[in-house]
Amino acid sequence: MEVCYQLPVLPLDRPVPKHVLSRRGAISFSSSSSLFGGPAPRQLSKRRGAISYDSEDQTALYIRMLGDVRVRSQVGFEPERRGSHPYLYVDFRTLHSRPEAAWPVSARNVRRLLSFQRYLHSSRFFHGIPASNPLGYILDDDFTGQAKLMLQKVGNWNFDIFLFDRLTNGNSLVNLTFHLFNTYGLIELFQLDMVKLRRFLVMIQEDYRCQNPYHNAVHAADVTQAMYCYLQEPKLAETLTSCDLLLGLLAAATHDLDHPGVNQPFLIKTDHYLAALYKNSSVLENHHWKSAVGLLRESDLLSHLPTEDRLNMEERLGSLILATDISRQNDYLSEFRTHLDKGDLCLTNGGHRHFILQMALKCADICNPCRPWKLSKQWSEKVTEEFFHQGDIERKHNLEVTPLCDRQSNSVANIQIGFMAYVVEPLFVEWSRFSNTRLSQTMMSHLSLNKHGWKEGRDKQEVSSSRASEEQRTPPTKDSNSKVLPQGSKGS
């Protein structure tokens, strides 16, 4: 199969060309959408998780601001149509890329389907361009030793993923996930080929875009570490099966795979082909899922399993990743709260275990405000930087600026305070009801302290700004009785 690397962003009134349809990660790998559990267009309008725009609920409003843009019509979800704009048909993958030297077109066909990130690496190799880091994965013995020591405490909630990433030379996701697979004995249980597993994890890490301040491989490693902490909680550790553990770790590692660094509203209002492909519904999450399945198949990691079992695992993996869609937050939270109120969660039931895995992944995905301040603050600054970068692009191209992405009307503190109040705290309160352990108490304590820290910083900044503006408005007063002495004279 010939691979086309420059995929155009298509206007929605044109059919998606075949070379786009065949791209790994773009759509399902069968003409039948049932393979991936894709809903029919008529079912999309009734899909669970849609938030009504006439709702006065503040939490729903905040979640919509985070990225829920659903354009409705009588026949379901239809893509938003706008006038032609030169920016709308630019591949979003080039937004964060750095200028590179022009390369001649290679006549060599790359047989293996490559992601955009791995294509850049392979292109440098084919054209004899040396890698920016000639050491590759080779580490100094001291750094390797420190990284191994850190992995001995991988279950600690104060695990510093930034330090671990530096110690592993930017390979935190590969090393951490491989260690967790080995810790749980999943390699032996599922008879995984260690070479294929390592190759699969490297491909995952390379498919995360290092240009993204937040949605990159370090974030995926952080979520995977948090997921491991939750899997160690007594209620889960006593009931989860080996398949649950495998899927939980895989979902955490791939939940934001190939994230473009912009949110769903951006893809919709720029008429991006992914938005058309997924009918403006869970666009990014569907892309992460299909990309993850593509890597699983490309690496042949699970090829030795029966086809039925393999397809079932791919479908369950998708169900976990789709649960991270922030626009469906209220629905999952409401269902979780109902189960806890009734006390009818039974983890010997496979469906209930899967639901708890979904909630655990949701918690792991947004647990940054529950980390110690030193770590939480770094994540807050990184995600805000990514938001503001998108807002700058929108303003530059005369697009409507997404509210939370406007640096002129927002600050890190305001965004974090709202995020904690309307999204994080309601979820972790219910998780604490489900698993009232020392870890839950620690997370709630950090959440409270971090919220107070952001509020205190915001108040100080507002007072400082108020004083500065007051001084600018008030002219300096002059004493009418005072006399201006000539330069060089002495006062009496």
Side-chain angles (χ1 to χ4, degrees), residues 242-299:
S242 57
C243 188
D244 294 330
L245 297 173
L246 176 69
L247 289 172
L249 294 177
L250 282 178
T254 62
H255 80 285
D256 273 333
L257 193 61
D258 199 34
H259 196 291
V262 292
N263 60 16
Q264 176 170 288
F266 183 91
L267 299 181
I268 292 176
K269 65 188 174 186
T270 56
D271 290 344
H272 195 271
Y273 77 92
L274 285 177
L277 193 62
Y278 299 118
K279 308 297 183 182
N280 297 346
S281 178
S282 298
V283 176
L284 288 172
E285 290 72 27
N286 272 297
H287 179 58
H288 305 325
W289 168 28
K290 305 301 172 61
S291 297
V293 172
L295 289 188
L296 276 172
R297 297 186 177 188
E298 184 179 342
S299 65

Side-chain angles (χ1 to χ4, degrees), residues 67-290:
D68 179 48
V69 173
R70 308 286 180 87
V71 184
R72 301 175 183 277
S73 71
Q74 295 179 352
V75 293
F77 292 171
E78 293 293 337
E80 184 179 4
R81 297 185 181 274
R82 296 182 180 270
S84 61
H85 189 284
Y87 179 68
L88 304 187
Y89 309 114
V90 177
D91 194 329
F92 66 79
R93 295 173 299 183
T94 64
L95 296 179
H96 302 281
S97 62
R98 300 173 182 175
E100 300 283 352
W103 299 327
V105 179
S106 174
R108 175 175 179 176
N109 292 328
V110 182
R111 298 302 178 185
R112 185 169 64 86
L113 196 57
L114 299 175
S115 72
F116 181 69
Q117 292 294 328
R118 280 184 282 120
Y119 169 60
L120 290 181
H121 296 308
S122 64
S123 296
R124 292 188 178 94
F125 175 75
F126 293 154
H127 292 88
I129 300 175
S132 57
N133 180 11
L135 295 179
Y137 294 105
I138 301 175
L139 299 175
D140 182 88
D141 290 340
D142 291 338
F143 278 77
T144 304
Q146 293 179 57
K148 290 181 178 179
L149 287 175
M150 285 195 69
L151 285 175
Q152 294 177 7
K153 300 181 179 180
V154 70
N156 290 1
W157 187 245
N158 60 350
F159 187 87
D160 190 339
I161 195 64
F162 298 109
L163 174 60
F164 183 72
D165 191 64
R166 292 193 296 271
L167 293 176
T168 56
N169 198 30
N171 297 294
S172 54
L173 182 58
V174 172
N175 287 274
L176 185 139
T177 309
F178 191 91
H179 172 78
L180 295 180
F181 268 65
N182 191 50
T183 298
Y184 277 122
L186 298 175
I187 299 175
E188 294 79 14
L189 285 170
F190 289 91
Q191 298 180 344
L192 302 179
D193 185 303
M194 293 183 66
V195 175
K196 290 182 179 180
L197 175 60
R198 191 81 181 185
R199 176 172 175 264
F200 170 67
L201 296 177
V202 169
M203 288 193 297
I204 290 177
Q205 182 172 269
E206 289 181 347
D207 272 10
Y208 278 96
R209 305 182 183 194
C210 58
Q211 299 94 338
N212 293 343
Y214 182 81
H215 289 103
N216 51 41
V218 184
H219 166 66
D222 183 64
V223 172
T224 304
Q225 190 272 334
M227 188 68 170
Y228 173 69
C229 292
Y230 299 147
L231 296 178
Q232 293 291 99
E233 290 288 77
K235 284 188 176 181
L236 279 72
E238 296 170 0
T239 56
L240 293 181
T241 66
S242 57
C243 188
D244 294 330
L245 297 173
L246 176 69
L247 289 172
L249 294 177
L250 282 178
T254 62
H255 80 285
D256 273 333
L257 193 61
D258 199 34
H259 196 291
V262 292
N263 60 16
Q264 176 170 288
F266 183 91
L267 299 181
I268 292 176
K269 65 188 174 186
T270 56
D271 290 344
H272 195 271
Y273 77 92
L274 285 177
L277 193 62
Y278 299 118
K279 308 297 183 182
N280 297 346
S281 178
S282 298
V283 176
L284 288 172
E285 290 72 27
N286 272 297
H287 179 58
H288 305 325
W289 168 28
K290 305 301 172 61

Side-chain angles (χ1 to χ4, degrees), residues 16-27:
V16 181
K18 293 182 179 180
H19 72 270
V20 175
L21 296 181
S22 62
R23 178 179 180 268
R24 174 189 51 74
I27 57 172

